[in-house]
Amino acid sequence: MIIAIDGPSGAGKSTLGKMLAKELNLLYLDTGAMYRSVALAVLLEEVSARDHEEIAEIAVDSEIKLDGKPDKLRVRLNGENVTDDIRTNEVSQIASIVSTIPAVRKELVRRQRELGKASKTGAVLDGRDIGTVVFPKADVKFYLTATAEARAKRRHEEDKAKGIKTKLEKTLGEIIRRDERDANRKHSPLQKADDAIEIDTSEMNLEQVFERMLAEIEKKTP
Ligand code: DC
């Protein structure tokens, strides 16, 4: 079984994807972590974000491994544990630029399909183009949304819990900028698949969204 979860950043895709994978014993694939890993490699190699050819080469040459159980995921880039390093603001901004490059997308989409198909029980993938490009025939497709304000507030709370001091307005500005870039890029922009189930999570708590998603999965895969 393949479950696709798409939507803008901060809508709850990864938390819910992990919860579903655990509940249904499926592989969880955080495709954003792959774009982030390429972005980190670009930063480490001090390549300009404008040098698309060099970045495409970095994407092809980088070994990216996502392993561990859904609630204890580890991301490795060329053998190094980069689980935390790929979550900085700087990496977020570069990841959103790197993900506009067609050759980078081609390489990562190929890997995502391979990993998803290799899992015997199936997989939950979260990203922006899972239901439209990576697995257009996924068994169940979700499109999670929330207002930019609700997403900024959640991100702000998460940062606070981690002891990171941020300004809510700044977080909101970053979210709006990333949304714009993800939705307006030429190749595989963030887009709801026609047959995706859209859930606006702005006014829902995690448990409510989780129950709703499980009910939809049961309906589609009796
Ligand atoms: O989900 P995230 O914030 O970790 O994603 C990081 C960046 O990668 C984000 O700018 C969107 C991009 N991305 C993408 O273009 N396609 C995907 N399938 C996943 C992420």
Side-chain angles (χ1 to χ4, degrees):
M1 171 161 61
I2 296 285
I3 298 177
I5 309 180
D6 292 302
S9 59
K13 297 186 304 290
S14 74
T15 309
L16 286 150
K18 286 176 197 165
M19 287 165 79
L20 287 176
K22 200 170 165 195
E23 177 76 19
L24 303 169
N25 188 30
L26 303 171
L27 171 76
Y28 168 69
L29 269 183
D30 175 356
T31 64
M34 299 173 84
Y35 289 94
R36 286 172 178 274
S37 298
V38 173
L40 180 64
V42 167
L43 282 169
L44 291 174
E45 298 194 22
E46 296 178 6
V47 170
S48 154
R50 275 186 291 249
D51 192 344
H52 291 190
E53 253 176 55
E54 184 68 27
I55 295 176
E57 251 178 60
I58 289 180
V60 171
D61 293 342
S62 296
E63 185 194 65
I64 301 167
K65 286 215 162 132
L66 307 174
D67 41 45
K69 291 242 151 57
D71 43 7
K72 274 205 163 176
L73 278 185
R74 247 191 336 218
V75 182
R76 282 180 195 284
L77 170 66
N78 301 322
E80 295 284 332
N81 184 347
V82 296
T83 313
D84 297 327
D85 301 352
I86 59 166
R87 301 289 161 195
T88 65
N89 262 334
E90 194 184 11
V91 171
S92 300
Q93 294 302 329
I94 303 289
S96 120
I97 297 172
V98 154
S99 63
T100 64
I101 305 172
V104 172
R105 302 203 67 84
K106 189 172 167 219
E107 171 65 16
L108 296 189
V109 166
R110 183 186 66 74
R111 294 190 198 184
Q112 290 154 13
R113 286 186 182 138
E114 254 177 41
L115 290 167
K117 282 184 191 149
S119 168
K120 285 201 187 76
T121 53
V124 179
L125 292 93
D126 104 50
R128 306 293 188 286
D129 60 341
I130 310 300
T132 49
V133 177
V134 184
F135 282 108
K137 294 205 174 128
D139 299 272
V140 193
K141 298 179 188 177
F142 291 103
Y143 190 79
L144 297 188
T145 59
T147 61
E149 287 75 16
R151 290 182 283 130
K153 222 163 128 194
R154 283 182 200 152
R155 185 66 28 102
H156 188 66
E157 293 298 324
E158 278 168 21
D159 284 346
K160 216 157 87 183
K162 283 189 220 154
I164 305 169
K165 276 199 191 139
T166 49
K167 284 226 160 68
L168 184 60
E169 306 82 75
K170 187 165 175 252
T171 308
L172 178 61
E174 280 165 4
I175 284 190
I176 292 173
R177 259 206 313 283
R178 274 221 283 161
D179 277 0
E180 254 169 31
R181 213 181 283 140
D182 292 345
N184 296 321
R185 66 177 176 227
K186 208 158 123 214
H187 299 276
S188 308
L190 169 63
Q191 210 180 16
K192 178 186 164 301
D194 290 339
D195 51 348
I197 301 154
E198 184 165 349
I199 307 176
D200 184 337
T201 70
S202 308
E203 305 288 330
M204 292 166 91
N205 65 32
L206 267 186
E207 208 51 43
Q208 289 169 326
V209 187
F210 180 60
E211 291 303 329
R212 167 85 199 282
M213 291 174 98
L214 272 184
E216 295 287 355
I217 293 167
E218 260 166 42
K219 260 197 256 169
K220 294 231 172 190
T221 53

